[in-house]
Amino acid sequence: VTRAKHAEMVRFGKHGQIRRPSLDARLHMDTQDAWHWPLRHIQSDQLSPDTAQTDGMSRYEAISGRLSGSEKIWLGRTHVAGGVRSANHHHGESETGIYVISGHPVFVFADGDEERRIEASPGDFVFVPPFTAHREENPVPEEEAVVLIARSTQEAIVVNLESLFGH
C-alpha cells in the first residue's frame, strides 16, 4: 500500500475522531507503512468533557480511541475547584497514573477502617490501583487543582460510590 493510499485509509470524522484502518487493511500494508501511522496532535482547547464524570471535579478526555485512535491507553485532564472535594469513586479494572500539574490536591483512600491522605504538589505522581475507592480534595480555596490522568483501559471507567469503605 502506498503512503497516499495509507493516508486515504485513515479518515478523520466529526469532532476530530479518527478511524484506524481495518485489520484486513493493515494486513495488506507493506511493513514500512505499518510502522508509519500518523501522529495526532490534540490541542488543549480540543479536550472533550464528554467522558465519565464525578461530582466535585471536571474530567476532560484527550487521548482515547474515540478522539485519537489509541487502542490501549486513555489520557485526560481533571480539574478540582478550590475548597471542593469529589465524590468517592473507583476506576474498575483500570490502573490510573496521576501527575499533578498545578495546585495541591489531596488523594483520600481507605486503609482498613481509617482514611489515609496523600497530599500532593505540582510535579508529584500518584498511582491508583484497580478497584481502589478514593476521592480527590482541594483544600486550598483560592487555587484550582489540575492533574493529568493516564489509564490502562481504553474506556474512562468511573464507578461513583457512597463511601470509601464499601458499606
Side-chain angles (χ1 to χ4, degrees):
V1 173
T2 66
R3 186 177 280 298
K5 183 66 176 171
H6 175 263
E8 184 181 312
M9 287 189 292
V10 178
R11 302 189 197 288
F12 294 92
K14 188 176 179 184
H15 306 298
Q17 294 172 332
I18 186 171
R19 189 183 80 208
R20 294 183 65 159
S22 67
L23 177 60
D24 184 56
R26 283 188 260 169
L27 291 174
H28 291 93
M29 290 179 180
D30 66 35
T31 305
Q32 183 178 6
D33 281 338
W35 286 96
H36 292 91
W37 291 97
L39 300 182
R40 289 282 292 146
H41 177 204
I42 295 85
Q43 296 176 339
S44 62
D45 64 350
Q46 295 176 314
L47 275 60
S48 171
D50 187 23
T51 188
Q53 299 291 336
T54 297
D55 287 343
M57 60 193 332
S58 298
R59 289 189 189 92
Y60 299 91
E61 180 178 6
I63 296 175
S64 65
R66 186 174 67 89
L67 294 181
S68 66
S70 67
E71 294 179 347
K72 297 185 178 170
I73 64 168
W74 185 98
L75 191 66
R77 190 173 65 203
T78 297
H79 297 246
V80 179
V84 172
R85 67 188 242 176
S86 76
N88 301 310
H89 61 281
H90 70 73
H91 302 291
E93 66 192 52
S94 183
E95 293 183 329
T96 301
I98 299 170
Y99 174 77
V100 180
I101 297 170
S102 64
H104 293 85
V106 176
F107 299 88
V108 183
F109 63 100
D111 185 9
D113 289 335
E114 301 197 15
E115 286 187 359
R116 294 264 324 265
R117 302 171 67 76
I118 296 173
E119 297 179 2
S121 296
D124 290 354
F125 292 84
V126 176
F127 172 67
V128 181
F131 299 100
T132 299
H134 64 284
R135 72 174 172 265
E136 287 85 6
E137 297 180 357
N138 184 357
V140 183
E142 59 275 355
E143 73 179 2
E144 179 179 56
V146 180
V147 301
L148 177 77
I149 300 172
R151 298 228 173 91
S152 62
T153 54
Q154 184 48 229
E155 183 183 350
I157 301 168
V158 177
V159 179
N160 293 309
L161 307 167
E162 291 195 27
S163 169
L164 292 177
F165 300 96
H167 47 69

